[in-house]
């Protein structure tokens, strides 16, 4: 479909132009046909296009937000209030056996939902991202067969350009031999590797005569991959010298390139009570992108993560980053990192860019456009366009944009929006071949929650009854988490769902009172500040 949006256009292009008023032309190829001042002549082909006219309203037209770190299969779960925090590193919390233990609080609920209602789970977590203005998210689960399309861009699954899969991901550590092979054979030309590394508490680099620490050894093993296509998630334990070695490896190949650190400050503080030294990383020339991580230890979406970063920047980092620099972390920076692989740009509005857009209420008229984005909550998200299609927004704007097959949704009490969710070919609790709309998504997930043992058994029987290969396009879909399962789950058989397993209520779509109550119980000031953005402004 073609579409025109007029209003205050915040481009995040190379010059960071703000066009007021400007016009954004969405082509039927899913690309932007033009981004220009509103008074200029429209490009050919848009004479009959629907127009979303925001001129005079103050509303902002921005790139859709890019969330470069997640684990989607787990994003129906609430915050996991583990008792063993702060953990030393990522291997420690996986073995947490004290209630609420890891396996029954995190692994099993996600495993059952991903097996018994996979399409509904994916749709729910995609809508959760849309509610926060995200149009690209990273963290696809593993699956029995290919997952294509979707309501937004799942970075791991996008086949750009021209049907090529050029984004490699790994949340679990690879062996030195595997990393050497990736560096020599995969990270060539225009491929990207998104890789978790050095996740844990900061430990000063050991003396050369002492055994290397666990997380520093991970970074040393990654040496063959220190190339332009590397995007590292977390890096919480990395030292300035390690950041320098990384960027030196990149510029030795291409002096114009920069490595990318994906910063997830909420999750870092939740699990480790520390976060990445992003000031040291930027001092060495690395770019910073934000990621919301997963809902057991993260924010609901990257719009929330932006506020956590803003609070840390102000209180702990002495306002090292300006407002525009913070906003670049959810737009231009992740877009540039992915541009190494994709070519067509996300995170910047320019002719030829992918048509992913966010319309935001300018709720603070006295502040600049970047502060408005930082301080915005879910209530200020007016319209989200992903892949050139209006997916979520207010009723009037969805109608003006030509959205079809929409359903009412109330992400938080009193906030009325419309969402365009319609898929066919459901499996498991959804029903074979069923049409999956928003009400059906919630019904399917609640059916599994009511009786997880029965839902698991039915799903296993369906998979067993399938006579063909599981990667066949018509095979039943099942999802598998990309996070460690823990010893108890790894040793369990397919019929070993824990007796009395309780799947928590679906995580809400917005940062609400229950979320903030859990945060308050931690007593971590870097996280408690998030509430203030929902109560009138940053602390």
């Amino acid at each position: 479909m073609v579409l025109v949006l007029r209003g205050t256009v915040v481009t995040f292009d190379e010059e960071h132009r703000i066009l007021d008023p400007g016009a954004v032309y969405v082509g039927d190829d899913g690309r932007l046909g033009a981004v220009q001042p509103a008074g200029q002549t429209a490009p050919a082909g848009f004479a009959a296009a629907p127009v979303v006219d925001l001129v005079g309203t103050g509303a902002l037209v921005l790139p859709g937000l890019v969330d470069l770190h997640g684990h989607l299969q787990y994003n129906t779960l609430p915050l996991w209030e583990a008792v063993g925090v702060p953990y030393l590193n990522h291997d420690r919390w996986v073995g947490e056996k004290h209630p609420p233990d890891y396996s029954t609080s995190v692994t099993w609920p996600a495993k059952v939902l991903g097996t018994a209602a996979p399409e509904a789970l994916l749709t729910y977590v995609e809508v959760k991202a849309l509610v926060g203005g995200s149009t690209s998210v990273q963290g696809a689960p593993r699956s029995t067969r290919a997952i294509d399309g979707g309501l937004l861009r799942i970075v791991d699954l996008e086949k750009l350009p021209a049907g090529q899969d050029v984004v490699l991901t790994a949340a679990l550590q690879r062996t030195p031999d595997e990393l050497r092979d990736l560096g020599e054979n995969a990270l060539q030309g225009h491929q990207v590797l998104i890789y978790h590394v050095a996740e844990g508490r900061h430990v000063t680099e050991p003396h050369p005569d002492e055994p290397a620490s666990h997380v520093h050894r991970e970074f040393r093993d990654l040496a063959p991959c220190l190339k332009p296509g590397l995007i590292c998630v977390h890096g919480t334990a990395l030292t300035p010298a390690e950041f320098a070695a990384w960027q030196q490896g990149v510029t030795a190949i291409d002096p114009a390139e920069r490595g990318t650190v994906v910063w997830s400050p909420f999750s870092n503080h939740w699990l480790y009570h520390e976060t990445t030294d992003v000031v040291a990383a930027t001092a060495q020339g690395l770019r910073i992108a934000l990621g919301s991580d997963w809902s057991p230890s993260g924010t609901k979406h990257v719009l929330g993560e932006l506020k956590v970063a803003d609070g840390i920047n102000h209180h702990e980092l002495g306002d090292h980053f300006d407002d525009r620099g913070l906003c670049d972390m959810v737009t231009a920076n992740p877009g540039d990192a992915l541009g190494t692989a994709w070519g067509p740009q996300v995170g910047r509005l320019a002719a030829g860019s992918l048509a992913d857009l966010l319309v935001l209420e300018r709720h603070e008229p006295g502040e600049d456009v970047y502060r408005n984005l930082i301080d915005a909550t879910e209530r200020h998200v007016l319209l989200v366009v992903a892949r050139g299609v209006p997916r979520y927004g207010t009723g009037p704007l969805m109608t003006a944009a030509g959205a079809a097959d929409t359903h009412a949704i109330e992400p938080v009490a009193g906030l009325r929006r419309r969402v365009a969710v319609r898929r066919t070919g459901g499996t498991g609790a959804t029903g074979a071949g069923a049409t999956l709309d928003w009400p059906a998504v919630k019904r399917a997930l609640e059916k599994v929650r009511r009786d997880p043992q029965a839902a698991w058994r039915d799903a296993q029987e369906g998979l067993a009854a399938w006579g063909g290969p599981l990667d066949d396009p018509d095979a039943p879909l099942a999802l598998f988490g990309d996070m460690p399962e823990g010893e108890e789950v790894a040793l369990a058989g397919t019929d070993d769902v824990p007796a009395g397993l309780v799947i928590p209520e679906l995580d809400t779509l917005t940062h609400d009172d229950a979320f903030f109550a859990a945060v308050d119980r931690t007593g971590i000031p870097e996280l408690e500040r998030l509430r203030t953005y929902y109560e009138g402004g940053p602390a």
Side-chain angles (χ1 to χ4, degrees), residues 298-313:
T299 48
K300 306 277 184 174
H301 40 64
V302 79
L303 185 62
E305 201 73 22
L306 180 58
K307 294 158 186 48
V308 180
D310 179 59
I312 290 173
N313 180 57

Side-chain angles (χ1 to χ4, degrees), residues 19 146 150 157 499:
L19 307 178
L157 305 180

Side-chain angles (χ1 to χ4, degrees), residues 4-7 9 19 21-25 34-40:
V4 181
L5 294 91
R6 296 194 182 110
V9 179
L19 307 178
V24 178
Y25 295 87
V35 179
Q36 60 190 40
Q40 289 186 1

Side-chain angles (χ1 to χ4, degrees), residues 28 83 93 220 227 242 248 343 395 439 443 461 493 496:
D28 57 11
V83 298
W93 43 263
R220 273 191 278 274
K227 295 184 174 184
E242 287 167 324
Q248 288 166 9
R443 285 195 303 269
E461 290 174 355
D496 290 331

Side-chain angles (χ1 to χ4, degrees), residues 379-442:
R379 292 186 179 276
H380 304 119
V381 175
L382 303 181
L383 181 68
V384 182
V385 176
R387 302 180 186 279
V389 178
R391 291 295 187 185
Y392 171 84
T394 66
L397 291 187
M398 288 288 277
T399 299
D405 293 326
T406 67
H407 283 86
I409 184 173
E410 195 168 351
V412 65
L415 183 65
R416 293 178 176 83
R417 296 288 188 263
R418 306 289 297 184
V419 63
V421 175
R422 185 169 291 273
R423 284 174 169 163
T424 57
T427 58
T430 308
T435 296
L436 194 65
D437 55 22
W438 183 241
V441 165
K442 294 185 291 183

Side-chain angles (χ1 to χ4, degrees), residues 37-110:
Q40 289 186 1
T41 302
F46 289 90
V51 177
V52 177
D53 194 350
L54 305 162
V55 175
T57 69
L60 307 175
V61 182
L62 309 105
L65 306 186
V66 182
D67 187 341
L68 211 48
H69 171 215
H71 306 277
L72 299 181
Q73 177 149 350
Y74 305 86
N75 282 359
T76 65
L77 305 178
L79 284 168
W80 175 41
E81 298 183 60
V83 298
V85 293
Y87 295 100
L88 180 62
N89 58 53
H90 58 81
D91 283 346
R92 298 298 178 89
W93 43 263
V94 176
E96 182 61 76
K97 294 180 173 61
H98 294 91
D101 65 279
Y102 177 72
S103 64
T104 57
S105 299
V106 178
T107 300
W108 271 116

Side-chain angles (χ1 to χ4, degrees), residues 73 76-77 107-122 124 426-431 436 439-460 477 479 497-498 500-506:
Q73 177 149 350
T76 65
L77 305 178
T107 300
W108 271 116
K111 192 179 184 78
V112 173
L113 287 170
T115 302
E119 292 94 345
L121 185 153
L122 276 176
Y124 189 89
T427 58
T430 308
L436 194 65
V441 165
K442 294 185 291 183
R443 285 195 303 269
L445 294 171
E446 290 298 339
K447 180 180 179 181
V448 177
R449 285 192 61 246
R450 284 195 301 271
D451 193 342
Q453 285 78 13
W456 176 262
R457 183 174 58 252
D458 291 346
Q460 293 297 325
L477 178 64
L479 305 178
V497 175
L501 176 69
V502 175
I503 296 180
E505 290 186 13
L506 300 177

